[in-house]
Amino acid sequence: MGDRERNKKRLLELLQAAGTGNSHCADCGAADPDWASYKLGVFICLNCCGVHRNFPDISKVKSVRLDFWDDSIVEFMTRNGNLHVKAKFEARVPAFYYIPQANDCLVLKEQWIRAKYERREFMADGETISLPGNREGFLWKRGRNNSQFLRRRFVLLAREGLLKYYTKEEVEVQKSITEVGQELTELGERLVDIVRSLQSQRPLSESGPDNELSILGKLVTSDAAAGKIKDILHDLEEIQEKLRENFSWKEAPEAPTQREHLEAQSSSSCPMSDQSPALRRASHFAQWAINPTFNLKSLSCSLEVSRDFHTVTVSPRPQPYRGSCERFSTSQVLCSQALSSGKHYWEVDTRNCSHWAVGVASWEMSRDQVLGRTTDSCCVEWKGTNQLSAWHMVKETVLGSDRPGVVGIWLNLEEGKLAFYSVDNQEKLLYECTISASSPLHPAFWLYGLHPGNYLIIKQVKV
Ligand SMILES: [Zn+2]
């Protein structure tokens, strides 16, 4: 047997050798490949061979059956082989990467072969690192019904191992509007404050001794400026009002509303009439109902807030929020709404939280203190020890062992009163106290930080 025949026989045996992976194409998995890249040391099918042939820098091919193989190349193929080379070039193919199959089109195979051998994207020491987590971006995808290419948002969900694409982008837009809405509302409030303070400072600064302008000029300037400031303030207050309407009050959470909840209770458990205490309470307070939103600047790193700013959850791991003196070091959060006058009512669903406190606090409340343990905060608290307490002026009052599911908070700043109600089945006054707030009060919350997944919801009270 000559070298040619002997080496061909060795190669054919090598193709069938157990544990080598040579019986299927190294690139597309097609059975019984009879070509090989003698530069890379892999056996490949005729189709993939066509791709390899186009890239002589990365690969050189021969037919197992038709070409001449000398001893050194046969030995090289024996030392390497499909599985051996795969371990090197496919060390870290991302879970979501589509590896073409035998019957896939040539374009896919070419992309795969070039990514693998030319760009060496999947080698263990390669430079391209595929980070875990979700990815998203835009691709142009050919429409199903016509051949037009359309821009589509693709989202890769790492946990589900799915690649999804969206034909509409409204969902994302809607979310960002909500976020922008809260930022705008806060900005509006700050602008109003600034303009108001300018309005009050202006006469002082203009009567300063250094002003060289003529008295007449000064008066004209001053009047015109004051008028302008007044106009701006008026415009700002209007914008602020619109923003509040759109982004705070009207944004309905998906949970059933309080009224629906009460109606469900009344039809299933006890047939209450319209005059039942709960409905009287709802109708009594509904006109002062507000729908406060959690403030991200005060949010503790152990908590997370839903996109609609109405649910706060204990996070399984500390969140990398920006450090700030406004952020609680304990697992607490305030709402953005500063309540300084009038009457306000809101409800908190505490049923999915084993340890909680709800109440009010001034924005200046010390960020390393706990609700109720400062003179500028007040709350009712359920600590999971079957005890409900109220904390007011750093003093605890034990209220009993009944756990309220939904707590209604009634803040009447006209009369200087704060009251807490249990409102899930029947209305029950839990605690009432007088308050004299020297600065605006914000709805305030505490959740026990060691129970990940526990959450509180600010419910929308239906009018
Ligand atoms: Zn192939």
Side-chain angles (χ1 to χ4, degrees):
M1 191 192 290
D3 280 356
R4 186 185 185 98
E5 286 307 306
R6 194 188 66 232
N7 282 345
K8 185 172 152 188
K9 188 163 175 280
R10 278 174 71 190
L11 280 172
L12 289 172
E13 281 167 4
L14 196 52
L15 274 172
Q16 301 305 322
T20 59
N22 295 343
S23 60
H24 288 84
C25 171
D27 296 328
C28 73
D32 303 321
D34 49 9
W35 287 79
S37 163
Y38 62 91
K39 190 166 179 179
L40 294 165
V42 291
F43 293 91
I44 50 179
C45 71
L46 178 63
N47 283 328
C48 293
C49 173
V51 178
H52 280 248
R53 203 187 287 280
N54 290 334
F55 302 98
D57 289 347
I58 56 167
S59 184
K60 287 199 163 52
V61 291
K62 272 178 190 283
S63 163
V64 170
R65 293 169 200 279
L66 305 174
D67 287 320
F68 174 76
W69 295 73
D70 67 29
D71 290 350
S72 65
I73 307 180
V74 173
E75 269 152 33
F76 176 76
M77 294 304 292
T78 311
R79 279 201 309 278
N80 286 281
N82 289 7
L83 277 182
H84 188 261
V85 174
K86 181 188 171 91
K88 181 178 163 194
F89 284 97
E90 296 181 36
R92 12 167 246 184
V93 180
F96 53 87
Y97 196 96
Y98 182 74
I99 298 176
Q101 308 291 299
N103 52 359
D104 277 321
C105 66
L106 211 55
V107 175
L108 279 180
K109 289 177 186 169
E110 181 184 325
Q111 290 308 316
W112 164 236
I113 289 167
R114 296 186 70 180
K116 187 155 75 157
Y117 304 118
E118 190 180 42
R119 298 195 297 275
R120 300 173 163 234
E121 284 183 15
F122 316 120
M123 287 176 71
D125 56 353
E127 283 176 12
T128 315
I129 295 167
S130 176
L131 294 170
N134 294 351
R135 302 282 182 81
E136 64 176 271
F138 291 92
L139 291 173
W140 290 86
K141 183 185 176 298
R142 199 193 287 267
R144 198 178 299 166
N145 299 325
N146 59 35
S147 56
Q148 267 189 321
F149 277 91
L150 304 159
R151 186 180 142 97
R152 296 286 181 250
R153 186 166 72 94
F154 277 77
V155 179
L156 170 80
L157 302 159
R159 201 164 61 178
E160 290 91 338
L162 282 177
L163 181 66
K164 289 184 177 177
Y165 76 90
Y166 295 83
T167 52
K168 289 185 178 141
E169 290 169 33
E170 279 93 353
V171 178
E172 194 54 41
V173 171
Q174 194 59 48
K175 281 174 191 163
S176 50
I177 285 176
T178 313
E179 282 166 23
V180 169
Q182 201 195 13
E183 282 169 20
L184 276 175
T185 309
E186 285 178 22
L187 264 178
E189 279 162 16
R190 279 166 58 194
L191 274 173
V192 167
D193 286 349
I194 290 168
V195 175
R196 277 196 186 128
S197 70
L198 271 178
Q199 206 175 20
S200 59
Q201 281 169 17
R202 194 150 184 96
L204 285 175
S205 65
E206 289 203 347
S207 60
D210 296 331
N211 200 326
E212 302 268 314
L213 292 171
S214 75
I215 289 176
L216 183 64
K218 211 164 42 175
L219 281 176
V220 170
T221 314
S222 169
D223 282 353
K228 240 180 200 156
I229 287 180
K230 207 175 159 191
D231 288 349
I232 291 172
L233 187 61
H234 181 256
D235 288 351
L236 269 176
E237 280 169 345
E238 253 181 24
I239 292 169
Q240 192 185 22
E241 196 54 39
K242 277 182 192 150
L243 282 169
R244 276 201 195 123
E245 277 173 19
N246 279 297
F247 295 114
S248 293
W249 325 112
K250 283 187 181 169
E251 201 185 309
E254 281 174 18
T257 60
Q258 181 59 26
R259 177 64 71 87
E260 282 161 359
H261 178 64
L262 290 167
E263 281 167 0
Q265 291 280 357
S266 66
S267 59
S268 63
S269 52
C270 51
M272 292 192 288
S273 73
D274 278 349
Q275 295 307 306
S276 70
L279 288 180
R280 269 210 312 273
R281 179 214 42 87
S283 58
H284 180 67
F285 289 135
Q287 59 178 308
W288 292 289
I290 59 170
N291 193 10
T293 46
F294 292 114
N295 180 284
L296 302 183
K297 283 183 213 151
S298 66
L299 184 67
S300 152
C301 290
S302 58
L303 302 175
E304 288 173 87
V305 161
S306 63
R307 278 183 172 270
D308 67 359
F309 303 101
H310 286 133
T311 303
V312 61
T313 306
V314 179
S315 175
R317 63 194 71 83
Q319 295 297 305
Y321 305 138
R322 192 157 40 90
S324 151
C325 57
E326 292 182 296
R327 193 175 298 295
F328 279 108
S329 57
T330 48
S331 52
Q332 302 182 106
V333 62
L334 299 178
C335 281
S336 296
Q337 288 68 18
L339 310 170
S340 55
S341 60
K343 300 170 183 177
H344 309 277
Y345 178 74
W346 66 98
E347 290 182 349
V348 183
D349 186 339
T350 69
R351 289 173 295 184
N352 297 293
C353 194
S354 59
H355 304 53
W356 50 264
V358 297
V360 294
S362 81
W363 191 260
E364 290 73 36
M365 178 186 160
S366 172
R367 294 305 196 247
D368 55 3
Q369 287 291 326
V370 179
L371 270 185
R373 279 67 161 181
T374 68
T375 53
D376 58 353
S377 66
C378 177
C379 66
V380 293
E381 182 177 283
W382 176 261
K383 271 209 153 172
T385 48
N386 289 333
Q387 181 181 298
L388 186 73
S389 298
W391 280 88
H392 179 226
M393 297 307 284
V394 206
K395 189 172 145 278
E396 183 177 21
T397 307
V398 176
L399 303 176
S401 57
D402 287 343
R403 179 182 170 171
V406 178
V407 178
I409 297 106
W410 170 238
L411 178 62
N412 183 342
L413 289 159
E414 287 170 13
E415 294 175 14
K417 272 190 182 156
L418 174 66
F420 296 90
Y421 291 84
S422 167
V423 295
D424 6 356
N425 294 320
Q426 282 202 320
E427 177 194 52
K428 186 182 155 202
L429 178 67
L430 298 171
Y431 182 71
E432 192 175 26
C433 61
T434 54
I435 44 156
S436 53
S438 52
S439 55
L441 293 171
H442 295 253
F445 306 80
W446 168 80
L447 298 86
Y448 184 51
L450 294 180
H451 284 175
N454 269 216
Y455 61 93
L456 295 172
I457 308 171
I458 299 174
K459 297 186 60 135
Q460 182 158 38
V461 183
K462 208 172 184 181
V463 179

